[in-house]
Amino acid sequence: MAFLFSAQRSEAQDLLAIKVSINVQNATIGEILGKIEQQGNFFFAYNPDNINESQTFSIAAQNKKVSDVLKELFPGKSSFRQVENHVIISNEHKSNEKNTFQISGRIADNSDSPLDSVIVYDPENEQLVVSHGDGSFKFDFDAGFEDIGLFVSRPNYNDTVIYVGPGQQQIDLVLFQSRFSPFAMIPKGTAAAEFKIKEKEFERLSLVRKFVPKEAIYASKLNTEKIMPAQLSFLPKAGTNSFVKGLRVNNASFNILAGYSKGLKGAEFGGIANIIQKEARGVQAAGIANIVLGNVTGVQFSGVYTNDFSDVRGFQVSGVHNTLRGDIRGGQIGGVSNIARQGVDGIQLGGIFNLAKGEISGAQISGVLNVARNNIEGAQISGVANISEKTAKGLQIAGIYNKSREIDGWQLSGVANLNGNEDKGIQIAAVANKTKVLHGLQFGIVNIADTISSGFQVGLVNIVKHGTYLLELSYSETFPFVVNFKTGNPKLQSIINLSAGNGMLGTGFGIGRNFEISKKSWASADIVSTSVHDNKMAFMGQKLSTRLALNYKFAKHFSLISGLSGNFFAPSDQWGTSTPGTAYESARIGKAMQNGKNSVWCGWFLGLQISDML
């Protein structure tokens, strides 16, 4: 005799933990169970031979768990187990006598087409089989003489619970397609759709296909589990849990070669690989790989690589590579590389390469390259290059190159810093810095910005696309021919100086600033340091000049400049005093060269400026 219960699949949850409220007097057991089903949106399955549905009962339960209400209804004689959207009520009183028999059958749809990949699960004896291409299945039992409840499930079809009596028998089952299939109609872009994609990728992994039996993969999809204190296995197919590893959550797991289970709440050790279908909480250590589809809370150690498909709250540590589909709060430490496809709230430490596709709050440290595809708040430190494709709030340090879309912090590199948008911090490079809008400081040989809003450039060549370019041609008391090329912005300009005349050549660098008086006039202050050489390019000494000037614009690109200067000249110690008869038309420098003493004097200059013609 068989009793059949059928229902559509619903979203997985802990049905026995759902809280219900019920207050009835002299209602039948069937009526009470029906009210609980309505409140919890699930179904009960049981053998009517073991439960008298017409028995009356009075119960008052306010916001109580389903499991507590059932214990009140069936005190001391029943057990309750969730399988998918069913709560199966079983009789705990088992016969000690054993009966060996086989149950086989065929499963088809309502058009009599055979159905493969149908899960047939016996929760009491913890056995599971999967139907073949012709729809056939078979169970071998060594059980008592009680009726057996079989849970039958296939995606896109209504789940079924069937109770059969003990003994050799053939059963033919018909499954009906569900009107609404959550598996076939999951909206794109949702968390459920993303998980289905992860699940398929997980099942296609070579280690999963090699070590995990198909039955175990199917079993793990059932919304039911059993906590095991410990398990020992050689392979997933050979161990204390056999095929039902897909239903077991282990507190301690020891896998001589490889192991597979539904979940972990404790510690797991594997010679080759540890594979978890759902969540892992605790510690995993494997000689080659740890692979987890669900979330991880704890620490994973592997000799080669760790592959997690969801979120990690803890650390991934591997000899070669760590990869993560979700986000991580903790850290990834890999001998070669780390990849996090979402956010990192912690640290990525890789011998060669780190990649984070989401936001980073923490640090990326690698021997060669760091790449953050989103915002970073923290530090990127690498031997060669750092790349932040959005805003970097913190620090980028690289031996050669830093790149970001925006920087709100520091960029330090041995060669160049490149910022694609706004710089609200500091760029320091041995060679070049580049940004669009500068709000902070650029320090390098060459500094490039499209616009300077409220910052400064300090370097040999400062280029501002929408800034100041000014060429000064002037005459002074020291050099009859002076060229100063000024770049930057009115608040701070860099100056490249060339001077000639009186038997001397000078090259120098300085900085300056303008102070607006009117639209056509302004004051300016400069400090210029010039290396002075004779006409044979022998170094004579160093000249430092502070200049104060008035500027008047008399045409679109032309202005006059005139002012006073304070000068200091320190003759070279290697030059020595000049021999008699050596003459310099610059009396101050000539006197200093003759007596070998420093010279200080006031001077003047007058010239023409050509501006903004580049």
Side-chain angles (χ1 to χ4, degrees):
M1 182 179 181
F3 302 96
L4 191 68
F5 301 85
S6 178
Q8 293 184 13
R9 186 186 304 267
S10 71
E11 186 178 352
Q13 57 179 316
D14 186 355
L15 303 181
L16 292 169
I18 293 175
K19 291 185 177 181
V20 295
S21 297
I22 186 168
N23 189 348
V24 295
Q25 298 292 324
N26 297 319
T28 65
I29 294 292
E31 290 172 341
I32 295 172
L33 293 178
K35 291 180 181 295
I36 297 174
E37 285 180 335
Q38 289 178 357
Q39 289 189 44
N41 192 28
F42 63 87
F43 300 91
F44 287 110
Y46 51 87
N47 187 344
D49 288 343
N50 297 331
I51 293 178
N52 183 1
E53 295 178 303
S54 61
Q55 179 185 350
T56 59
F57 198 90
S58 298
I59 186 171
Q62 184 65 33
N63 201 29
K64 278 191 174 182
K65 291 182 180 179
V66 170
S67 58
D68 294 333
V69 176
L70 292 177
K71 288 174 184 177
E72 236 182 286
L73 285 175
F74 309 105
K77 64 179 181 179
S78 299
S79 62
F80 319 106
R81 175 176 296 209
Q82 175 181 343
V83 181
E84 286 296 307
N85 200 38
H86 291 73
V87 172
I88 298 176
I89 304 174
S90 303
N91 192 339
E92 283 191 336
H93 300 294
K94 304 294 182 182
S95 171
N96 292 326
E97 299 182 41
K98 294 297 181 181
N99 182 19
T100 301
F101 57 94
Q102 184 181 87
I103 294 178
S104 58
R106 178 179 181 271
I107 304 174
D109 61 16
N110 57 351
S111 64
D112 201 36
S113 298
L115 293 175
D116 64 349
S117 304
V118 179
I119 298 171
V120 185
Y121 173 52
D122 171 17
E124 289 302 314
N125 299 294
E126 294 193 322
Q127 295 189 91
L128 182 144
V129 296
V130 178
S131 65
H132 302 295
D134 59 357
S136 64
F137 72 94
K138 65 179 179 179
F139 269 114
D140 290 316
F141 287 91
D142 185 14
F145 289 88
E146 296 81 11
D147 289 340
I148 297 169
L150 299 178
F151 180 84
V152 184
S153 177
R154 189 181 195 273
N156 304 326
Y157 287 81
N158 291 338
D159 293 340
T160 299
V161 178
I162 182 171
Y163 280 88
V164 298
Q168 197 89 4
Q169 55 190 296
Q170 171 82 22
I171 301 172
D172 290 331
L173 294 175
V174 176
L175 296 185
F176 292 87
Q177 276 194 303
S178 58
R179 293 181 180 178
F180 173 74
S181 171
F183 295 96
M185 301 182 66
I186 298 174
K188 289 184 178 180
T190 62
E194 177 66 20
F195 184 81
K196 295 301 292 183
I197 295 171
K198 293 177 183 179
E199 194 173 50
K200 289 180 181 179
E201 291 183 6
F202 172 85
E203 293 171 9
R204 286 198 295 262
L205 290 176
S206 58
L207 280 176
V208 174
R209 288 188 285 106
K210 187 174 184 65
F211 288 118
V212 182
K214 181 176 68 173
E215 292 88 343
I217 291 287
Y218 283 126
S220 67
K221 298 178 186 297
L222 292 178
N223 182 27
T224 186
E225 65 183 39
K226 184 174 182 179
I227 305 295
M228 297 299 295
Q231 78 88 28
L232 174 66
S233 69
F234 184 76
L235 290 170
K237 204 170 182 178
T240 56
N241 287 351
S242 189
F243 288 139
V244 294
K245 286 192 173 184
L247 301 173
R248 296 287 173 85
V249 175
N250 300 308
N251 289 330
S253 179
F254 303 93
N255 307 307
I256 296 174
L257 290 182
Y260 172 81
S261 61
K262 187 168 188 175
L264 173 68
K265 293 181 179 179
E268 183 172 45
F269 304 92
I272 294 178
N274 298 313
I275 304 171
I276 302 290
Q277 175 77 22
K278 299 296 183 182
E279 291 189 352
R281 295 176 178 269
V283 177
Q284 279 187 311
I288 292 180
N290 291 308
I291 302 172
V292 181
L293 176 59
N295 295 331
V296 175
T297 303
V299 183
Q300 296 173 299
F301 300 95
S302 66
V304 179
Y305 82 99
T306 296
N307 190 349
D308 293 328
F309 286 80
S310 298
D311 298 338
V312 172
R313 301 294 180 264
F315 277 86
Q316 289 180 315
V317 182
S318 70
V320 178
H321 175 68
N322 294 306
T323 184
L324 173 66
R325 282 289 299 265
D327 59 38
I328 184 168
R329 291 184 182 177
Q332 288 181 308
I333 302 174
V336 175
S337 58
N338 297 301
I339 295 177
R341 298 191 185 184
Q342 293 187 26
V344 176
D345 187 356
I347 185 171
Q348 282 186 313
L349 180 60
I352 295 178
F353 173 73
N354 291 312
L355 169 64
K357 293 187 176 181
E359 294 190 356
I360 296 177
S361 296
Q364 284 184 313
I365 303 173
S366 75
V368 177
L369 176 67
N370 292 312
V371 178
R373 295 279 175 87
N374 212 316
N375 298 331
I376 177 170
E377 293 188 13
Q380 283 184 311
I381 302 173
S382 75
V384 176
N386 294 308
I387 299 173
S388 175
E389 296 187 0
K390 289 193 176 180
T391 301
K393 295 182 179 180
L395 177 66
Q396 284 185 313
I397 301 177
I400 295 178
Y401 175 71
N402 288 312
K403 178 184 177 183
S404 68
R405 184 177 175 183
E406 292 187 7
I407 180 75
D408 188 357
W410 290 64
Q411 282 184 317
L412 308 175
S413 74
V415 177
N417 294 310
L418 175 62
N419 181 43
N421 203 338
E422 289 188 294
D423 177 3
K424 297 179 181 179
I426 297 175
Q427 288 182 310
I428 300 177
V431 178
N433 296 301
K434 185 178 185 299
T435 188
K436 282 192 175 181
V437 180
L438 179 62
H439 295 277
L441 173 66
Q442 286 182 317
F443 189 93
I445 296 175
V446 178
N447 298 305
I448 302 171
D450 284 2
T451 304
I452 295 181
S453 176
S454 58
F456 300 97
Q457 293 175 313
V458 180
L460 181 63
V461 179
N462 298 313
I463 299 173
V464 183
K465 184 177 180 181
H466 303 293
T468 299
Y469 297 91
L470 191 147
L471 181 66
E472 174 193 323
L473 306 174
S474 61
Y475 180 94
S476 72
E477 87 294 340
T478 305
F479 291 101
F481 182 70
V482 178
V483 178
N484 288 319
F485 180 62
K486 302 180 180 181
T487 60
N489 67 90
K491 292 183 179 180
L492 184 66
Q493 301 168 333
S494 63
I495 303 171
I496 298 176
N497 169 259
L498 297 173
S499 304
N502 296 333
M504 299 177 294
L505 297 173
T507 59
F509 176 80
I511 57 174
R513 175 165 182 163
N514 294 341
F515 302 90
E516 185 178 359
I517 299 174
S518 67
K519 289 185 178 180
K520 290 189 175 184
S521 62
W522 66 94
S524 61
D526 303 334
I527 298 176
V528 180
S529 177
T530 304
S531 295
V532 181
H533 301 75
D534 65 9
N535 52 18
K536 295 181 180 179
M537 296 307 296
F539 179 64
M540 298 170 60
Q542 195 72 25
K543 175 177 173 283
L544 181 66
S545 298
T546 301
R547 309 192 320 160
L548 297 175
L550 290 175
N551 304 263
Y552 179 75
K553 188 174 184 179
F554 63 89
K556 183 176 182 181
H557 297 292
F558 298 92
S559 60
L560 295 174
I561 182 172
S562 177
L564 301 175
S565 65
N567 303 278
F568 171 83
F569 179 77
S572 171
D573 293 338
Q574 297 178 352
W575 182 273
T577 57
S578 299
T579 57
T582 303
Y584 299 97
E585 294 185 24
S586 174
R588 294 290 186 175
I589 291 181
K591 183 178 179 182
M593 297 303 299
Q594 290 175 0
N595 60 29
K597 294 182 179 180
N598 298 337
S599 180
V600 178
W601 71 95
C602 291
W604 56 272
F605 59 94
L606 175 68
L608 174 71
Q609 294 180 128
I610 305 171
S611 61
D612 300 331
M613 295 189 68
L614 296 179

